[in-house]
């Protein structure tokens, strides 16, 4: 293969119409990297013989060891193809630039898929022909739908249907047809959900227009009555209403949404064998032989169409008249593929193949393509019929795979089929941005304040140097400083100065060795060893001792970016916008900084190539952003009216937390610096310091944690680090059970608590109750809406200068609340209506007052959680959270504003009570984990007369504030414990594909780790079962390794965070009856799983663990021998 030069790739960047930015997405082990190798081989970077084996884009040693991709990698490729501008003209050779990004398929690295998809315009989605649609397949298809990427489907590993499942061509055709239906069903579910949402929004707009029309007519009626005229007729209102509802809902056409081989957006391939084809390729091949136009053959080669061997006419299924003809795809395509496998590697050898051979004899009479026989000249006949030339040494080879791959590479090369489809089916950057960016810009923060010039430059793809520059940095990539282009020697030859410098170093080293050899023998031996160890035979290091080695091995961060408009040049100064930036307030803290671009790079997989400037529409690397971008960010040439592309959340938040500490305490600063660099370079990893002083890293899963620890030890911190036990998140809640103890205060409802401050000046009466399950689920589902409501209220308070310092959000573990991203735009009225319906759906709703939704004061924890603070005081001392209009909010703020009053009233402490509610729900009484699903009713707040009449009441407000917060928090926790408390365990949804031989072992491992099987289904046409289960996160560590060991690598699970599930055991339960005491003992430690979880968390947090004895059986202890 010819090697493509750097200059040619740089020249191709200037023509945006000839650029394609694509990413390869699939489930783990579906063949993404093998497919990438075949494409890389076309540019002469690797040998075609090594494609699928070298895994070029897996540059990390652990990626090569495990055989999976962990980081997304990009490479630029050149592809030449002959194209006709018109049907009459001769084909002209044209070059295209393919910016390819290979992404991971493991669920732990889903964030890498998000970073890759945002930078691209199209996606190549791979599906294993045997395993079919898996969990990550649905995830990547959803990602393409969210990012508005145009996908191409590749049905990969078709060779497994031949060699493993021993399918006949007809069976394989039926199997692939069902697989295609499964993929299209996933896309159809996305379309249906979006269509229903659009229909709902359209109906709401119609209702708003009708209500506005009725309001206008009523105003006219009142005006006419005031003027003494007659009122308006009902016909006027009816006509106005009819005019408002005349516009019908426009149905979107989903014809181009689905994958169909006749549309040439489906590719059939085997990446490991190096072949692929589309329906169009075979239509071109058979066009002259059958005398049928190619456009017609493209429509009938796939589907229930049959070829009449006598009349050479295409028949549909209803015209068969009982004849046993095979579909055209089987007869003209699959039979030939199967024949090649049989001729080279033995293929199916039996099942259905005799019929295939007999049908081939009939097909040869018709198409004269090639004849398969069992004589010695079988391969010769194949190559002659296909006009192929195979080298003699390949024909003489004893390796059947070498013959197979050579034959397919000459007949159906994978790179040709895939890249031609990419160029013809996927859009160029100009057309892609015009269709993708409007929706992305409208979803960005402060979309209405974006400068029209910036919006126009991005959507219309303006690349002039005078146009605004907008680039999105999806992640930061850590690269060793020695691998940067400026630190690499070019051409493999030393300059004269480098040669003299290397000779000088060697002479100094030899002289030092000779000087040491003249000394005594022991010292001489050690000295010679040191001298030889420090001698550099390559001349790449400086003679500066150990500091140089650290400098060479230091990591340098570069940005992985895409330019949307303008042209970026080295030396340009540009603003770096943080993820929370909004163009509505561009100078808000932290104010964006202006940085100078120090370097631009062309990403070439394992290497980087320097660039001077980059035009719009290109994926590239950028230097100079280290310390300015944490994970992702937007670059813009102007501050006012800029756009924040990083404001749209991507990927899921990490769930596994582990405390780290260095083995050598003196390496603590090294570890901290390394963790900060890891946080910048990994899109999903997070670093935080707990109140206890622990340094904690948050990762997406066990495999992700293992990779992060390896990077810390070997690349970033470069010191020995030991990890503690994983910190698993829990939730606390309450339920009502018959086994609950009696109420502590007689004649009061359960959960009622009267709290009195230490100074006896203020008393607060509250009641804690469990929320109905339907209400809790609704609140968790709409966390995004409550977050938006709170942000709007806070912005309004800041604009009026009435923001309270105690209204800050209480940050808890941040592990699960942040991943419940809800991008819907519910209005407050819709939110109140749906929340009221959720209360009515619950069986316990008769205990709640009908106006409970109107009295909601706050959500918690973090102002957005699934807990409610409800104001049921007579005077309604707290502001209502769900105020529908700004006038209501202003009026409520004025009524509650007590800053001008000199007396202390209950309204003075309204925000303090809300803050105490946030504290109480952020740390529950069981083990200081966040609370879920409770309602706190504020029933009365009483201020004693002594506090009210005291002239210095305002002076003592600081002391009273602390007392109120502590009293309310303790009262909520006390009311919480009057019910039956429960722990909620974090759960993984587990999906395992296993054959019948290892099915029992998979069940045994899941059961031993307290998992629960949800479903088990057999994939039709395969011997594989798909097992779905729920597994506690606390029991999941080591689960993947155990599954692989027990099944000898035949099964590999995929774990995805599912949510929290209640463990239906009271952690405070103790055996009381004689039977329980006899069976379980006094403590029942082995049976009470909930108490075990609670005690473990309390011990880790340094809290008191009740019932634990420091010393057991002290009289039996023995002293150690001296």
């Amino acid at each position: 293969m010819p090697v493509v030069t750097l200059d040619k790739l740089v020249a191709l960047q200037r023509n945006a119409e000839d650029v394609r930015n694509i990413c390869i997405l699939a489930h783990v082990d579906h063949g993404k990297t093998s497919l990438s190798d075949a494409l890389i081989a076309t540019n002469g970077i690797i040998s075609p013989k090594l494609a699928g084996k070298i895994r070029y884009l897996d540059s990390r040693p652990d990626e090569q060891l495990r055989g999976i991709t962990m980081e997304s990698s990009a490479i630029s490729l050149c592809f030449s193809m002959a194209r006709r501008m018109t049907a009459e003209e001769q084909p002209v050779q044209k070059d295209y630039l393919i910016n390819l990004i290979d992404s991971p398929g493991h669920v732990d690295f889903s964030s890498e898929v998000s970073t890759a998809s945002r930078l691209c315009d199209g996606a190549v989605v791979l599906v294993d022909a045997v395993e079919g649609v898996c969990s990550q397949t649905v995830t990547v298809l959803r990602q393409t739908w969210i990012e508005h990427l145009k996908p191409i489907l590749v049905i990969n590993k078709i060779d497994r249907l031949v060699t493993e499942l021993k399918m006949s061509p007809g069976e394989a055709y039926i199997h692939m047809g069902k697989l295609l239906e499964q993929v299209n069903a996933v896309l159809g579910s996305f379309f249906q959900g979006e269509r229903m949402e659009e229909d709902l929004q359209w109906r709401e707009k119609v209702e708003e227009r009708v209500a506005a029309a009725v309001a206008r007519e009523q105003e006219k009626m009142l005006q006419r009555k005031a003027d003494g005229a007659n009122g308006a007729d009902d016909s006027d209102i009816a006509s106005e209403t009819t005019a408002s509802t005349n516009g019908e809902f426009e149905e979107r056409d989903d014809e181009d949404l689905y994958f169909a081989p006749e549309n040439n957006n489906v590719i059939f391939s085997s990446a490991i064998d190096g072949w692929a084809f589309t329906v169009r390729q075979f239509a071109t091949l058979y066009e002259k032989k059958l005398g049928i136009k190619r456009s017609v053959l493209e429509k009938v080669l796939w589907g229930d169409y049959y070829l009449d061997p006598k009349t050479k006419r295409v028949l549909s299924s209803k015209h068969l008249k009982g004849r046993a003809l095979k579909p055209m795809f089987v007869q003209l395509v699959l039979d030939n593929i199967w024949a090649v496998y049989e001729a080279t590697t033995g293929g199916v050898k039996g099942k259905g193949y005799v019929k295939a051979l007999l049908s081939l004899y009939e097909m040869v009479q018709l198409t004269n393509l090639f004849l398969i026989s069992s004589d010695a000249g079988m391969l010769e006949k194949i190559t002659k019929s296909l006009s192929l030339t195979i080298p003699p040494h390949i024909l003489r080879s004893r390796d059947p795979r070498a013959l197979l791959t050579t034959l397919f590479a000459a007949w159906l090369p994978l790179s040709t089929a895939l890249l031609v489809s990419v160029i013809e089916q996927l859009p160029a950057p100009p057309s892609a941005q015009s269709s993708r960016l409007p929706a992305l810009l409208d979803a960005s923060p402060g979309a209405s304040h974006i400068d029209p010039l910036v919006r126009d430059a991005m959507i219309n793809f303006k690349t002039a140097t005078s146009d605004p520059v907008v680039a999105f940095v999806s992640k930061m990539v850590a690269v060793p400083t020695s691998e940067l282009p400026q630190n690499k020697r070019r051409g493999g030859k030393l300059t004269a100065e480098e040669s003299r410098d290397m000779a000088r170093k060697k002479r100094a080293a030899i002289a030092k060795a000779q000087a040491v050899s003249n000394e005594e023998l022991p010292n001489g031996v050690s000295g010679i060893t040191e001298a030889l160890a420090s001698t550099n035979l390559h001349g790449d290091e400086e003679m500066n001792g150990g500091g140089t080695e650290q400098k060479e091995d230091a990591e340098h961060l570069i940005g992985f970016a895409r330019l949307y408009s303008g042209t970026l040049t080295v030396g340009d100064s540009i603003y770096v916008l943080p993820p929370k930036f909004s163009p509505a307030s561009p100078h808000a803290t932290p104010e964006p900084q202006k940085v100078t671009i120090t370097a631009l790079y062309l990403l070439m997989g394992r290497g980087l190539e320097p660039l001077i400037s980059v035009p719009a529409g290109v994926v590239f690397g950028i230097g100079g952003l280290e310390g300015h971008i944490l994970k992702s960010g937007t670059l813009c040439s102007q501050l006012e009216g800029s756009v924040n592309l990083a404001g749209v959340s991507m990927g899921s938040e990490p769930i596994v937390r582990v405390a780290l500490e260095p083995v050598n305490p003196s390496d603590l600063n090294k570890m901290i610096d390394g963790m900060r660099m890891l946080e910048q370079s990994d899109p999903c990893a997070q670093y935080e310091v707990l109140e206890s002083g622990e340094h904690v890293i948050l990762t997406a899963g066990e495999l992700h944690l293992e990779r992060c620890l390896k990077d810390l030890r070997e690349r970033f911190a470069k010191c020995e680090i030991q990890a503690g036990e994983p910190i698993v998140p829990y939730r606390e809640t309450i339920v009502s059970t018959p086994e609950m103890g009696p109420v502590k205060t007689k004649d009061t409802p359960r959960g009622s608590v009267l709290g009195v401050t230490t100074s006896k000046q203020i008393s607060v009466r509250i009641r804690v109750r469990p929320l109905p399950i339907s209400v809790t689920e609704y609140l968790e589902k709409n966390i995004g809406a409550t977050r938006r409501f709170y942000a709007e209220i806070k912005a309004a308070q800041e604009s009026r200068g009435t923001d309270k310092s105690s209204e800050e959000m209480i940050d808890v573990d941040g592990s699960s609340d942040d991943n419940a991203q809800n991008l819907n735009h519910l209005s407050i009225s819709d939110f109140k209506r749906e929340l009221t319906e959720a209360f009515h759906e619950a069986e316990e709703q008769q205990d709640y007052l009908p106006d409970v939704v109107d009295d909601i004061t706050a959500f918690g924890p973090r102002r957005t959680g699934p807990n409610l603070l409800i104001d049921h005081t007579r005077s309604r001392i707290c502001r209502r959270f769900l105020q529908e209009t700004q006038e209501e909010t202003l009026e409520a703020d004025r009524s509650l504003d007590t800053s001008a009053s000199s007396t202390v009233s209950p309204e003075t402490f309204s925000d303090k009570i809300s803050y105490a509610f946030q504290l109480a729900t952020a740390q529950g009484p069981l083990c200081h984990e966040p609370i879920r699903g409770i309602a706190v009713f504020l029933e009365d707040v009483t201020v004693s007369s002594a506090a009210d009449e005291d002239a210095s009441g305002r002076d003592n407000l600081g002391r009273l504030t602390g007392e109120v917060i502590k009293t309310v928090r303790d009262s909520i926790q006390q009311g919480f414990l009057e019910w039956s408390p429960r722990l909620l365990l974090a759960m993984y949804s587990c999906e395992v594909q296993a054959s019948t031989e290892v099915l029992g072992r998979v069940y045994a491992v899941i059961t031993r780790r307290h998992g629960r099987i949800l479903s088990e289904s057999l994939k039709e046409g395969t011997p594989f079962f798909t097992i779905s289960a729920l597994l506690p996160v606390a029991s999941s560590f080591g689960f993947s390794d155990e599954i692989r060991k027990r099944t000898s690598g035949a099964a590999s699970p995929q774990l995805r965070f599912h949510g929290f599930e209640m463990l239906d055991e009271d952690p405070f339960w103790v055996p009381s009856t004689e039977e329980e005491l006899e069976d379980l003992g006094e403590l029942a430690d082995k049976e009470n799983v909930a108490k075990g979880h609670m005690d473990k968390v309390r011990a880790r947090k340094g809290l008191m663990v009740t019932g634990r004895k420091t010393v057991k059986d002290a009289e039996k202890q023995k002293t150690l021998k001296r």
Side-chain angles (χ1 to χ4, degrees):
M1 295 290 178
V3 178
V4 180
T5 63
L6 174 63
D7 296 336
K8 187 174 183 179
L9 294 175
V10 174
L12 289 174
Q13 291 181 346
R14 303 298 170 183
N15 190 358
E17 292 294 339
D18 297 338
V19 176
R20 299 292 186 273
N21 298 315
I22 64 170
C23 55
I24 301 182
L25 309 175
H27 188 76
V28 65
D29 288 335
H30 279 199
K32 297 181 298 299
T33 308
S34 299
L35 188 75
S36 303
D37 278 358
L39 303 183
I40 293 171
T42 61
N43 280 223
I45 299 175
I46 62 175
S47 170
K49 297 180 181 179
L50 297 177
K53 302 175 183 177
I54 194 172
R55 302 177 63 88
Y56 182 78
L57 292 181
D58 287 350
S59 56
R60 295 172 55 96
D62 48 355
E63 288 179 326
Q64 294 285 344
L65 182 64
R66 289 181 173 269
I68 63 172
T69 304
M70 297 184 183
E71 290 183 349
S72 54
S73 303
I75 192 169
S76 296
L77 304 174
C78 175
F79 179 68
S80 299
M81 64 177 292
R83 302 196 69 178
R84 285 189 177 95
M85 299 304 172
T86 61
E88 295 78 12
E89 295 182 5
Q90 293 295 324
V92 179
Q93 199 74 12
K94 196 172 183 181
D95 294 334
Y96 292 88
L97 177 66
I98 310 293
N99 292 320
L100 173 71
I101 302 179
D102 181 25
S103 62
H106 197 280
V107 66
D108 281 7
F109 309 108
S110 297
S111 57
E112 295 280 350
V113 178
S114 301
T115 60
S117 60
R118 174 55 64 89
L119 303 180
C120 296
D121 302 319
V124 178
V125 180
L126 272 70
V127 178
D128 191 318
V130 175
E131 296 183 4
V133 177
C134 299
S135 58
Q136 278 299 102
T137 309
V138 178
T139 301
V140 299
L141 286 172
R142 183 182 292 110
Q143 191 69 32
T144 61
W145 181 269
I146 294 173
E147 296 290 341
H148 304 283
L149 302 180
K150 187 173 182 180
I152 287 179
L153 179 66
V154 178
I155 301 179
N156 195 26
K157 299 190 180 183
I158 296 181
D159 59 288
R160 295 182 65 189
L161 303 180
V162 186
T163 57
E164 291 184 22
L165 301 186
K166 308 295 183 183
M167 286 185 176
S168 67
E171 293 170 341
Y173 169 69
I174 296 173
H175 177 79
M176 289 189 288
K178 294 179 179 178
L179 174 60
L180 195 59
E181 291 177 359
Q182 293 174 7
V183 178
N184 285 332
V186 175
L187 291 177
S189 65
F190 300 153
F191 175 79
Q192 186 67 20
E194 188 172 290
R195 189 252 173 236
M196 293 176 63
E197 185 176 353
E198 291 176 352
D199 182 48
L200 178 61
Q201 293 176 357
W202 176 80
R203 293 179 184 276
E204 291 175 352
K205 290 180 180 178
V206 169
E207 292 175 357
E208 291 176 1
R209 288 199 295 265
V210 170
V214 172
R216 285 196 300 269
E217 291 301 327
Q218 289 178 350
E219 290 179 2
K220 291 180 182 179
M221 186 186 302
L222 294 175
Q223 185 66 28
R224 290 176 182 175
K225 286 183 179 180
D227 296 340
N230 294 329
D233 295 335
D234 293 340
S235 59
D236 297 337
I237 301 177
S239 61
E240 184 78 18
T241 304
T242 304
S244 300
T245 57
N246 271 341
E248 296 182 357
F249 179 73
E250 297 181 1
E251 291 283 355
R252 281 197 304 162
D253 186 15
D254 61 345
E255 182 179 355
D256 298 331
L257 174 67
Y258 302 108
F259 296 113
E262 59 268 22
N263 294 336
N264 290 295
N265 58 4
V266 178
I267 301 173
F268 305 89
S269 78
S270 171
I272 195 66
D273 290 339
W275 62 265
F277 66 88
T278 61
V279 167
R280 175 170 295 178
Q281 284 181 265
F282 275 91
T284 305
L285 181 66
Y286 286 112
E287 181 179 10
K288 294 181 180 180
K289 297 181 182 294
L290 297 178
I292 303 176
K293 291 183 179 180
R294 190 188 72 175
S295 58
V296 176
L297 278 176
E298 289 179 7
K299 302 299 180 184
V300 299
L301 263 181
W302 177 270
D304 294 332
Y305 296 99
Y306 306 85
L307 186 64
D308 191 335
K310 296 180 180 179
T311 61
K312 296 185 181 181
R313 296 183 59 186
V314 178
L315 306 176
S316 61
S317 56
K318 62 182 179 180
H319 294 101
L320 286 180
K321 299 180 180 179
R323 287 183 290 179
L325 297 181
K326 291 187 293 187
M328 292 181 64
F329 191 78
V330 176
Q331 183 180 2
L332 302 182
V333 180
L334 294 185
D335 278 348
N336 297 328
I337 303 289
W338 261 241
V340 173
Y341 274 98
E342 177 66 19
T344 54
T345 62
V348 290
K349 279 191 176 178
K351 184 179 179 182
Y353 193 72
V354 175
K355 296 181 179 179
L357 285 176
L358 293 175
S359 65
L360 278 177
Y361 283 102
E362 299 177 0
M363 184 191 69
V364 167
Q365 301 297 327
L366 174 66
T367 64
N368 195 26
L369 182 58
F370 58 81
L371 174 66
I372 302 299
S373 61
S374 59
D375 59 357
M378 177 168 44
L379 290 175
E380 184 179 355
K381 292 181 179 180
I382 293 176
T383 55
K384 284 184 178 180
S385 60
L386 294 174
S387 302
L388 302 177
T389 302
I390 297 180
H393 71 278
I394 298 294
L395 291 172
R396 293 192 301 266
S397 174
R398 295 184 179 181
D399 183 9
R401 285 198 53 80
L403 186 59
L404 175 72
T405 54
T406 305
L407 181 58
F408 273 127
W411 180 30
L412 300 172
L414 185 148
S415 58
T416 302
L418 182 60
L419 294 179
V420 168
S421 298
V422 165
I423 291 171
E424 293 181 349
Q425 298 294 324
L426 299 185
S431 57
Q433 289 188 193
S434 62
S435 59
R436 286 185 63 210
L437 288 187
L440 293 178
L441 293 179
D442 293 339
S444 64
S448 58
H449 296 82
I450 298 176
D451 190 346
L453 294 177
V454 174
R455 179 185 288 268
D456 180 64
M458 295 179 66
I459 295 177
N460 296 325
F461 196 77
K462 296 186 177 180
T463 60
T465 55
S466 58
D467 291 319
V469 175
V470 178
F472 173 65
V473 180
S474 66
K475 69 171 183 174
M476 301 295 289
V477 182
V479 179
T481 307
S482 58
E483 294 185 9
L484 294 176
Q486 58 267 28
N487 297 329
K488 283 188 175 182
R489 186 166 57 247
R490 295 287 173 180
K493 294 183 179 180
L494 295 176
T495 62
E497 184 63 31
E498 289 174 337
S499 299
R500 287 191 292 269
D501 187 49
M502 186 177 67
R504 186 168 55 251
K505 294 175 186 176
K506 290 183 178 179
R507 285 195 298 269
I510 293 172
K512 183 178 180 181
Q514 290 177 348
V516 173
S517 64
N518 296 329
E519 298 178 1
E520 296 182 0
L521 183 60
N523 294 335
V525 172
S526 61
I528 291 174
T529 304
E530 294 176 1
L532 293 177
S534 62
T535 302
N536 182 14
L537 299 180
H538 301 284
D540 289 338
E541 294 185 2
E542 301 290 338
M543 298 292 292
N544 292 334
T548 308
E549 183 180 355
Q550 183 178 0
K551 181 179 179 182
E552 279 196 353
D553 293 337
E555 298 289 334
H556 183 76
L557 293 176
I558 66 170
F560 191 31
R562 158 79 182 268
L563 191 62
Y564 287 98
S565 65
T567 300
L568 195 61
T569 308
V570 175
D572 288 349
S573 294
I574 196 166
Y575 286 100
V576 178
L577 310 181
K580 294 185 178 181
F581 172 83
S582 174
S585 53
H587 298 284
T589 305
E591 187 168 352
Q593 300 177 354
K594 203 167 188 178
V595 300
T596 301
I597 304 302
T598 59
L600 297 173
Y601 303 103
L602 179 67
L603 304 173
M604 292 299 293
R606 301 184 180 185
L608 301 171
E609 299 294 341
L611 296 174
I612 302 301
S613 64
V614 172
V618 174
V619 176
F620 64 101
I622 180 171
L625 303 179
E626 189 169 355
H628 299 282
I629 289 183
L630 179 59
K631 292 184 180 296
S632 64
T634 309
L635 308 180
C636 194
S637 56
Q638 65 184 55
L639 188 57
E640 285 78 10
S642 54
V643 59
N644 181 12
L645 297 175
V648 181
S649 179
M650 298 182 297
S652 59
E653 293 295 323
I655 187 67
V656 177
R657 297 187 298 167
V658 175
L660 305 180
E661 63 178 3
V663 175
N664 186 356
S666 62
D667 293 333
L668 179 61
N669 290 333
K670 281 186 180 181
M671 188 192 75
I672 293 175
D673 294 339
M675 293 178 74
R676 287 173 179 167
M677 181 164 284
L678 174 67
E679 185 181 22
Q680 293 183 63
S681 62
D682 194 300
C684 190
Q686 294 182 10
Y687 163 60
E688 63 181 23
V689 181
L690 302 183
E691 294 180 357
S692 59
E694 292 179 295
H695 298 273
V696 173
I697 184 173
L698 288 82
T699 60
E702 189 177 2
L703 182 59
H704 186 211
L705 171 63
E706 184 179 336
R707 192 198 75 178
C708 290
L709 291 178
K710 181 179 177 64
D711 285 346
L712 273 176
R713 293 178 179 130
E714 298 179 0
R715 298 177 59 190
F716 300 130
K718 296 176 185 174
C719 63
E720 286 299 319
I721 295 175
Q722 59 185 11
E725 290 293 325
I727 303 172
V728 180
Y730 293 85
R731 294 292 182 267
E732 302 178 16
T733 189
I734 51 177
V735 294
S736 177
T737 60
E739 295 81 12
M740 293 184 298
V743 180
K744 294 183 179 180
T745 305
K746 295 183 179 180
D747 301 331
T748 59
R750 183 176 296 275
S752 295
V753 178
L754 178 62
V756 182
T757 60
T758 308
S759 60
K760 311 294 184 183
Q761 295 181 349
I762 300 171
S763 61
V764 181
R765 187 170 72 249
I766 64 169
R767 185 186 178 194
V768 179
R769 297 187 53 193
L771 276 177
I773 297 177
S774 59
V775 177
T776 304
E777 292 177 349
Y778 178 80
L779 292 177
E780 288 185 331
K781 180 182 176 182
N782 292 277
I783 280 180
T786 55
R787 182 180 290 115
R788 180 167 54 85
F789 296 155
Y790 176 72
E792 293 173 356
I793 292 173
K794 190 173 182 180
Q797 290 177 346
E798 289 178 351
S799 64
R800 297 192 304 269
T802 60
D803 190 22
K804 303 289 193 301
S805 60
S806 62
E807 295 282 326
E808 295 298 326
M809 297 170 67
I810 307 302
D811 191 10
V812 289
D813 63 347
S815 57
S816 67
D817 290 341
D818 285 341
N819 63 11
Q821 297 294 335
N822 193 333
L823 300 180
N824 60 12
H825 298 282
L826 279 177
S827 63
I828 292 183
S829 58
D830 293 337
F831 181 82
K832 291 173 63 176
R833 174 176 52 80
E834 295 178 6
L835 184 57
T836 304
E837 292 175 358
F839 270 107
H840 289 311
E841 290 175 4
E843 297 179 357
E844 313 95 306
Q845 61 89 18
Q846 63 269 16
D847 296 335
Y848 285 88
L849 298 178
D851 60 343
V852 66
V853 176
D854 294 329
D855 293 335
I856 293 176
T857 296
F859 300 87
R862 306 178 68 197
R863 300 287 175 184
T864 59
N867 304 290
L868 300 179
L869 175 62
I870 300 170
D871 183 9
H872 267 191
T873 58
R874 293 183 178 179
S875 57
R876 298 295 190 266
I877 65 170
C878 298
R879 182 182 56 82
R880 297 182 179 183
F881 186 85
L882 299 176
Q883 300 288 349
E884 297 188 19
T885 63
Q886 188 174 3
E887 289 76 11
E888 292 178 356
T889 305
L890 290 173
E891 183 179 355
D893 289 342
R894 283 193 295 267
S895 63
L896 296 176
D897 188 10
T898 59
S899 58
S901 175
S902 59
T903 60
V904 176
S905 63
E907 288 80 4
T908 308
F909 303 102
S910 61
D911 59 326
K912 317 302 183 296
I913 294 173
S914 177
Y915 185 70
F917 168 73
Q918 302 297 330
L919 290 175
T921 52
Q923 292 185 341
L926 297 183
C927 49
H928 283 195
E929 292 290 322
I931 292 177
R932 172 185 180 269
I934 69 168
V936 178
F937 291 85
L938 180 63
E939 296 182 343
D940 188 27
V941 178
T942 304
V943 179
S944 66
S945 57
D948 194 10
E949 296 173 359
D950 190 1
S952 61
R954 278 284 167 181
D955 300 335
N956 297 329
L957 187 59
R959 174 178 57 81
L960 294 177
T961 296
E963 291 182 359
V964 169
I965 291 175
K966 181 179 181 301
T967 301
V968 174
R969 184 194 62 188
D970 294 344
S971 299
I972 293 175
Q973 294 181 349
Q974 183 180 345
F976 181 96
L977 293 175
E978 283 200 4
W979 299 84
S980 183
R982 293 289 187 272
L983 278 179
L984 283 84
L985 306 182
M987 303 295 289
Y988 276 136
S989 63
C990 172
E991 182 176 290
V992 186
Q993 281 198 348
S995 60
T996 53
E997 292 81 6
V998 298
L999 198 61
R1001 302 174 191 173
V1002 172
Y1003 271 77
V1005 175
I1006 294 176
T1007 306
R1008 185 163 54 252
R1009 291 178 174 267
H1010 309 289
R1012 188 174 78 254
I1013 304 294
L1014 297 180
S1015 65
E1016 172 194 311
S1017 59
L1018 176 66
K1019 282 190 175 292
E1020 190 173 354
T1022 69
F1024 295 101
F1025 284 85
T1026 300
I1027 304 166
S1028 297
L1030 286 180
L1031 187 72
V1033 175
S1035 306
S1036 67
F1037 301 101
F1039 173 73
S1040 299
D1041 290 338
E1042 186 178 1
I1043 283 278
R1044 282 191 287 267
K1045 289 177 182 177
R1046 294 283 182 178
T1047 61
S1048 300
S1052 181
Q1054 288 277 293
L1055 300 177
R1056 178 181 296 277
F1057 182 64
H1058 176 74
F1060 290 89
E1061 187 175 273
M1062 183 185 299
L1063 180 61
D1064 197 12
E1065 290 185 13
D1066 190 342
F1068 298 115
W1069 176 84
V1070 292
S1072 55
T1073 64
E1074 292 184 2
E1075 293 81 1
E1076 292 173 346
L1077 289 170
E1078 183 179 351
D1079 294 340
L1080 305 176
E1082 295 182 1
L1083 299 179
D1085 289 337
K1086 294 182 180 179
E1087 294 297 327
N1088 197 335
V1089 180
K1091 187 176 188 303
H1093 285 293
M1094 182 184 72
D1095 290 347
K1096 187 176 180 180
V1097 176
R1098 292 186 68 90
R1100 175 176 57 80
K1101 293 185 176 182
L1103 304 175
M1104 183 181 67
V1105 179
T1106 58
R1108 173 180 293 185
K1109 295 182 179 180
T1110 307
V1111 178
K1112 291 184 179 180
D1113 300 326
E1115 67 278 3
K1116 295 182 180 180
Q1117 291 186 357
K1118 299 179 180 179
T1119 57
L1120 296 176
K1121 293 183 179 180
R1122 293 183 179 178

